[in-house]
Amino acid sequence: MDTISKLLIITLSSALVSNVILSQFLGICPFLGVSKKIKTALGMGEAVIFVITLASIVTSIIYKYILEPFELTYLKTIVFILIIAALVQFVEMFLKRFVTSLYKSLGVYLPLITTNCAVLGVALTNVQKDYSMLSSVVNGFATALGFTIAIVILAGIREKTEYNEVPKAFKGMPIVLITAGLMAIAFYGFQGLL
Amino acid sequence: MNKAGTQFLNGFLKENPIFVLMLGMCPTLAVTTSAMNGLGMGLTTTVVLVMSNFLISIFRNMIPNKVRIPAFIVIIASLVTIVELLLKAYLPSLNDALGIYIPLIVVNCIILGRAESFASKNKVILSIFDGFGMGIGFAFALTCIGAVREILGAGEVFGFGIMPEGFIPISIFILAPGAFFVLAGLTALQNVFKIRGEKKGIVNTKIQSGCNSDCMSCGDSSCHSKFYGTEDDDKNIKSEIVENDLLILDINDDTEVE
C-alpha cells in the first residue's frame, strides 16, 4: 500500500505539479514546433510516451547494474546520451520491420526525439532522486504523459486562435509563447495538490 | 588575427544564438530566474563551447564522416562531465542553482550546431574564436533576460535592490510563466525590427521569427538528417520527410479531414 501511494504521488507530481514543459522547460522545441494541429500533437505525445518510458527502463537498468557496481556513476551523462540515441535508432528499425502499423503512426516523430532534452532530463532526474526501477519507469511515463497533456492542450488552443487578429509584432511565435505562459499559470494552480 | 576578431563579433552580435538564431531555448527559459544564474549558465556553456570547438576542429580530419555526429556527442558529453565535476568541486552554490541543467548542456543545440556547421570545417584558431563569440553572445543574452526577470520579479539586479521603495515586485516573472512572457516580448521585439527592415527593403534571411523553424531545423540539419541520412537511400528519403515534417503532416491532416 505504501509503494502504491508513493507511485501515485510521483505520477501526480511529474504529470501535473511540476509539468515537464510548463515548469521545467524541457522539450520546448517540439512543444512549440509540433503543436499546430491536435492530431500531430497527439502523435508526437504518443511517440514521446513510448520513447521516454523505454529510455527510463533501459537507463535505470544500466545505471543500477553496470554503472553503480563499477563506480562509474560520473560517466552517466555520456552513457545516457549514447543509450538514448542508440535506443531511438533501434526502436525505429524494430518498428519498421515488425510493427508496421505503429511505425506508420509514430515513425516521423521518432528521429525528432533524440535531441529532445526531456528524455535525457528524465533519465538524469531518476538518478538524481535515487528512484528505484519501478519508480523510474512510473516517473518516466508520468513525465511523458504531462508532456502529451501540455502539447495537446496547446494544439487545441492554437487551432482555435489561428485566425484571430493579433498585433502584427505578436503574430506567429510570440502569441504562442504567451498562450504557453497562460497555460503555465493555470498549471501553477496544481502546486497545492501535493 | 583580424579574421578571428570578425568571427568573434559575428557570434556575439550578428548571429547571436538567442536573440537572432533562437537556439538553445530550454536553458534560456529555465535558468534565467536571476541575472546571476543566467551569467553562470552562459559562462559554463561558453567554456564547453570553446573546448568542444577546439577539440572537434583538431580532430576534424580524423573523424570519419559517417560517425561524426556520435563522435561529436561523445566529445561534448565528456567536456560537460568535466565541467560538471569542476563546478561541483569549486562552485557548489552555482552547481546547486543550475542543478540538472548543467548535464543538459549536452543537448544544447548551439554546441552541436557550431560543431557541425563551423568547427568541423574550419581551422583551430578560428573555431576557438567562433566558440568564444557564440558563447559570450549566449551568456550576454541569458544575463539580459535574467536581469529583466529579476528587476520585474524581485526589484533587484545581481542581488542589489535598484527599484524605488514603493515598487511591488511582480513575482510571476521569476516563476515559470514569466519565462514565457519575457521570451514572447523578446520575440515580438525582434518581429518589429524585422517588419521595419522589410519596409526599408532589407531582407535579412538569417533573422527568423521564432523557435518554430529554427529549433526544428537545428534538430534536423545538425543532428537528424545527417545522423540518419548517411545510412542508406531509404533513410535519406526519411530525413527529407523529417525536414519538412510539419508542413507535410499538416497537409496530410487537411486531406484526411476533407
Side-chain angles (χ1 to χ4, degrees):
Chain A
M1 202 57 212
D2 203 34
T3 32
I4 293 176
S5 64
K6 208 178 141 198
L7 291 179
L8 197 67
I9 286 175
I10 291 177
T11 313
L12 277 178
S13 98
S14 299
L16 297 175
V17 179
S18 53
N19 185 284
V20 65
I21 292 173
L22 298 170
S23 85
Q24 296 190 60
F25 304 107
L26 301 176
I28 296 284
C29 294
F31 178 65
L32 298 175
V34 201
S35 58
K36 270 194 180 147
K37 291 243 153 62
I38 291 183
K39 212 178 146 196
T40 43
L42 208 60
M44 185 70 195
E46 282 166 14
V48 167
I49 290 179
F50 189 71
V51 170
I52 290 191
T53 313
L54 211 59
S56 313
I57 299 172
V58 177
T59 49
S60 68
I61 288 175
I62 292 203
Y63 189 80
K64 286 257 145 61
Y65 295 104
I66 297 180
L67 293 186
E68 262 183 357
F70 292 103
E71 293 181 353
L72 291 170
T73 50
Y74 61 90
L75 284 178
K76 60 179 187 293
T77 316
I78 305 173
V79 173
F80 285 178
I81 187 90
L82 288 178
I83 291 173
I84 290 165
L87 186 77
V88 174
Q89 279 272 37
F90 180 73
V91 165
E92 201 189 343
M93 286 191 282
F94 181 82
L95 289 184
K96 201 174 176 185
R97 178 80 180 78
F98 296 106
V99 200
T100 326
S101 58
L102 198 61
Y103 179 77
K104 267 184 192 154
S105 59
L106 300 186
V108 196
Y109 305 101
L110 283 174
L112 291 173
I113 294 175
T114 329
T115 46
N116 184 345
C117 41
V119 187
L120 185 63
V122 171
L124 290 169
T125 315
N126 286 339
V127 169
Q128 210 175 41
K129 293 195 175 164
D130 209 14
Y131 281 151
S132 69
M133 238 190 82
L134 186 62
S135 309
S136 301
V137 177
V138 170
N139 181 39
F141 178 76
T143 307
L145 193 68
F147 177 89
T148 311
I149 292 171
I151 197 173
V152 169
I153 293 177
L154 182 71
I157 298 174
R158 278 181 81 171
E159 277 187 7
K160 294 277 177 212
T161 57
E162 206 183 340
Y163 298 108
N164 286 9
E165 275 187 35
V166 289
K168 231 180 188 173
F170 277 87
K171 266 195 184 126
M173 219 19 80
I175 196 73
V176 177
L177 285 167
I178 287 183
T179 314
L182 293 173
M183 278 171 64
I185 293 180
F187 270 69
Y188 206 69
F190 287 119
Q191 213 66 271
L193 203 62
L194 292 179
Chain B
M1 212 55 207
N2 199 11
K3 230 174 159 187
T6 324
Q7 199 57 47
F8 173 78
L9 279 183
N10 178 51
F12 186 58
L13 295 172
K14 219 170 137 197
E15 288 185 30
N16 187 294
I18 290 185
F19 291 140
V20 182
L21 297 180
M22 284 277 180
L23 293 176
M25 281 299 126
C26 297
T28 310
L29 292 169
V31 301
T32 51
T33 48
S34 71
M36 199 61 209
N37 283 354
L39 186 64
M41 184 67 187
L43 292 181
T44 315
T45 312
T46 308
V47 172
V48 176
L49 191 51
V50 171
M51 293 297 291
S52 79
N53 265 10
F54 171 64
L55 283 179
I56 286 164
S57 185
I58 286 181
F59 293 124
R60 69 182 187 281
N61 294 326
M62 277 179 247
I63 298 172
N65 211 23
K66 274 193 175 175
V67 292
R68 70 184 185 289
I69 300 289
F72 294 166
I73 290 178
V74 173
I75 291 175
I76 296 166
S78 318
L79 290 168
V80 169
T81 308
I82 294 168
V83 169
E84 192 191 356
L85 292 175
L86 285 175
L87 281 183
K88 243 179 216 162
Y90 295 108
L91 286 170
S93 59
L94 185 65
N95 185 55
D96 292 342
L98 299 181
I100 195 169
Y101 296 99
I102 294 177
L104 285 177
I105 293 175
V106 180
V107 280
N108 191 328
C109 288
I110 299 167
I111 298 177
L112 197 56
R114 285 332 278 177
E116 169 70 20
S117 67
F118 197 89
S120 62
K121 297 186 187 92
N122 287 285
K123 287 193 175 130
V124 179
I125 303 281
L126 218 54
S127 298
I128 292 177
F129 274 91
D130 175 71
F132 195 56
M134 279 280 164
I136 295 294
F138 184 66
F140 175 72
L142 284 192
T143 316
C144 286
I145 299 172
V148 169
R149 287 180 68 183
E150 209 181 344
I151 291 171
L152 292 173
E156 300 174 329
V157 172
F158 288 109
F160 298 112
I162 56 156
M163 295 304 261
E165 278 199 9
F167 175 76
I168 301 164
I170 318 161
S171 54
I172 194 88
F173 276 99
I174 50 171
L175 299 174
F180 286 111
F181 293 137
V182 172
L183 190 67
L186 203 75
T187 333
L189 203 66
Q190 201 183 303
N191 278 354
V192 171
F193 284 123
K194 205 176 145 198
I195 293 165
R196 264 190 211 161
E198 271 167 11
K199 267 186 194 156
K200 282 181 195 161
I202 308 162
V203 182
N204 194 344
T205 45
K206 278 202 177 115
I207 293 179
Q208 307 276 342
S209 65
C211 197
N212 191 346
S213 56
D214 307 295
C215 249
M216 299 315 272
S217 65
C218 159
D220 293 339
S221 61
S222 63
C223 323
H224 302 115
S225 60
K226 274 146 198 159
F227 195 45
Y228 289 82
T230 45
E231 297 276 291
D232 52 30
D233 286 347
D234 182 32
K235 288 263 169 117
N236 266 332
I237 297 162
K238 179 85 197 315
S239 70
E240 271 165 33
I241 296 171
V242 172
E243 259 162 38
N244 300 317
D245 102 293
L246 306 174
L247 193 71
I248 287 175
L249 286 170
D250 287 347
I251 292 166
N252 283 348
D253 280 2
D254 289 342
T255 49
E256 273 168 40
V257 170
E258 280 159 21

